[in-house]
Amino acid sequence: MNSMNKYDFDEDSPFRGNIFTPDNQHLLMSRSLTSKLKFLKTDLGNKTIRRQKRGRIDLRSAMRNRDSYKLTDFKRYIPSRLNKTRIGVSIIIDSSGSMNDKQSNTAFGCAWSISSALENTNSETIVYEFARNTRKIKDFNETVAKAKWRKKCSGATNVSESLKYSFDDFKNLKLKKDINNNLLIVLTD
């Protein structure tokens, strides 16, 4: 018989009856990831570059500038590239028998934090749990708050089914929402 530990009485475990609830560290990690992702996208919005040698004439600059003979009174408009940075992410969590409570907590916490951060930056995430079978935890059209973050799988390790589902979901996401960038994250021991 195995000895008992504090997780058997559900004192400090984030799984309350196999339901994952995020704590403060997961919320802080999500906020940190969100701010870093938003910072990466700051230079991708609509912008106008002034003082060019060719392009459309910048009347405001030409009227103010006394040295208009230098031919730097043009501007160039660059459209937003934010839609091209949208990403579809599939997170696959190992819930086989080899994953103990601490590893499961870490995997579910990472998946929750990444999903929340990407949701806040207009990207799409889907989360699967795999062991003997594959179960969808969060779908692309679900929010992180409405997803059922429960650990239900256990047993053998069969990742191939969840990889197949992720590949099919990426195809559907490209057709429905025109997202061409895909990322697959596998969280395992």
Side-chain angles (χ1 to χ4, degrees), residues 70-101:
K70 291 184 179 178
L71 297 177
T72 57
D73 294 334
F74 295 96
K75 64 181 177 181
R76 185 172 45 142
Y77 173 75
I78 299 175
S80 175
R81 295 175 289 177
L82 286 173
N83 282 341
K84 293 182 181 179
T85 63
R86 293 184 66 203
I87 188 168
V89 178
S90 178
I91 302 172
I92 301 174
I93 302 172
D94 182 3
S95 290
S96 64
S98 65
M99 295 280 285
N100 60 29
D101 284 343

Side-chain angles (χ1 to χ4, degrees), residues 5-19 21 101:
N5 61 21
K6 65 182 179 181
Y7 294 124
D8 294 332
F9 297 102
D10 215 24
E11 294 171 7
D12 293 332
S13 175
F15 288 101
R16 308 274 183 237
N18 285 342
I19 298 173
T21 53
D101 284 343

Side-chain angles (χ1 to χ4, degrees), residues 5 19 21-22 24 32 36 41-42 54-55 87 98 114 117 128 134 149 151 162 164 167 179:
N5 61 21
I19 298 173
T21 53
N24 286 338
S32 174
K36 289 176 183 172
K41 294 182 175 189
T42 55
R54 64 178 170 214
I87 188 168
S98 65
I114 292 168
Y128 284 107
T134 297
W149 294 88
K151 181 182 176 182
S162 57
K164 181 186 172 295
F167 183 71
I179 295 177

Side-chain angles (χ1 to χ4, degrees), residues 19-38:
I19 298 173
F20 174 79
T21 53
D23 56 7
N24 286 338
Q25 81 179 34
H26 300 118
L27 295 171
L28 289 173
M29 180 59 67
S30 174
R31 286 187 199 131
S32 174
L33 286 171
T34 301
S35 68
K36 289 176 183 172
L37 288 170
K38 285 183 178 179

Side-chain angles (χ1 to χ4, degrees), residues 63-189:
M63 290 170 57
R64 278 190 268 170
N65 192 1
R66 292 179 187 217
D67 298 331
S68 62
Y69 61 90
K70 291 184 179 178
L71 297 177
T72 57
D73 294 334
F74 295 96
K75 64 181 177 181
R76 185 172 45 142
Y77 173 75
I78 299 175
S80 175
R81 295 175 289 177
L82 286 173
N83 282 341
K84 293 182 181 179
T85 63
R86 293 184 66 203
I87 188 168
V89 178
S90 178
I91 302 172
I92 301 174
I93 302 172
D94 182 3
S95 290
S96 64
S98 65
M99 295 280 285
N100 60 29
D101 284 343
K102 185 176 180 181
Q103 291 169 333
S104 291
N105 174 33
T106 303
F108 272 82
C110 288
W112 187 90
S113 297
I114 292 168
S115 295
S116 176
L118 287 169
E119 183 179 292
N120 291 336
T121 57
N122 200 21
S123 292
E124 304 286 332
T125 57
I126 190 167
V127 181
Y128 284 107
E129 173 186 30
F130 76 92
R132 186 176 303 122
N133 299 323
T134 297
R135 184 180 73 87
K136 190 182 296 186
I137 296 174
K138 180 194 170 304
D139 201 358
F140 284 127
N141 55 5
E142 261 184 315
T143 62
V144 175
K146 291 185 179 181
K148 295 179 175 113
W149 294 88
R150 288 191 179 103
K151 181 182 176 182
K152 287 189 176 179
C153 298
S154 64
T157 306
N158 181 14
V159 71
S160 62
E161 188 177 3
S162 57
L163 291 173
K164 181 186 172 295
Y165 289 153
S166 293
F167 183 71
D168 293 340
D169 288 334
F170 285 150
K171 281 188 203 175
N172 292 335
L173 189 64
K174 183 176 181 176
L175 293 174
K176 290 180 182 175
K177 296 189 178 180
D178 195 33
I179 295 177
N180 296 321
N181 305 320
N182 300 319
L183 177 67
L184 180 71
I185 300 172
V186 179
L187 301 172
T188 186
D189 53 349

